[in-house]
């Protein structure tokens, strides 16, 4: 079996997976030998680390409401 995950916002996708229980299904599929592949966010979503601009307030769907406008404009990559 193969699971193909498209691109998008990595943090939003993994947050939705957790809320919907899809993360558990993906781990179970991987344990059975399923190949997980994808492009962009879909390619890094199951790894422990990866380079992503998912915290960019322009693309992140659940922006911290406590961020000032200056903080939203001056975001930095998370390392």
């Amino acid at each position: 079996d193969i699971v193909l995950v498209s691109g998008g916002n990595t943090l939003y996708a993994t947050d939705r997976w957790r809320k919907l229980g899809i993360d558990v299904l993906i781990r179970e599929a991987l344990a059975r030998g399923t190949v997980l592949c994808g492009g962009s966010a879909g390619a890094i979503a199951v790894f422990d680390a990866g380079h992503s601009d998912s915290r960019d307030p322009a693309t992140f769907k659940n922006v911290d409401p406590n961020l000032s406008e200056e903080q939203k404009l001056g975001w930095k990559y998370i390392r």
Side-chain angles (χ1 to χ4, degrees):
D1 293 332
I2 297 175
V3 174
L4 174 63
V5 180
S6 65
N9 184 296
T10 310
L11 293 177
Y12 180 76
T14 56
D15 181 58
R16 291 289 294 164
W17 292 355
R18 278 191 293 282
K19 288 179 180 175
L20 297 171
I22 294 171
D23 60 326
V24 174
L25 299 174
I26 289 174
R27 281 194 298 274
E28 290 172 355
L30 289 171
R32 290 192 310 270
T34 299
V35 174
L36 182 62
C37 59
S40 192
I44 66 170
V46 297
F47 289 94
D48 292 331
H51 180 75
S52 172
D53 64 355
S54 291
R55 293 291 286 182
D56 178 352
T59 64
F60 191 58
K61 295 189 184 280
N62 297 316
V63 176
D64 181 348
N66 298 316
L67 289 177
S68 68
E69 289 304 313
E70 183 178 335
Q71 288 172 311
K72 289 178 186 177
L73 294 174
W75 66 278
K76 303 288 186 216
Y77 284 105
I78 296 172
R79 297 183 194 269

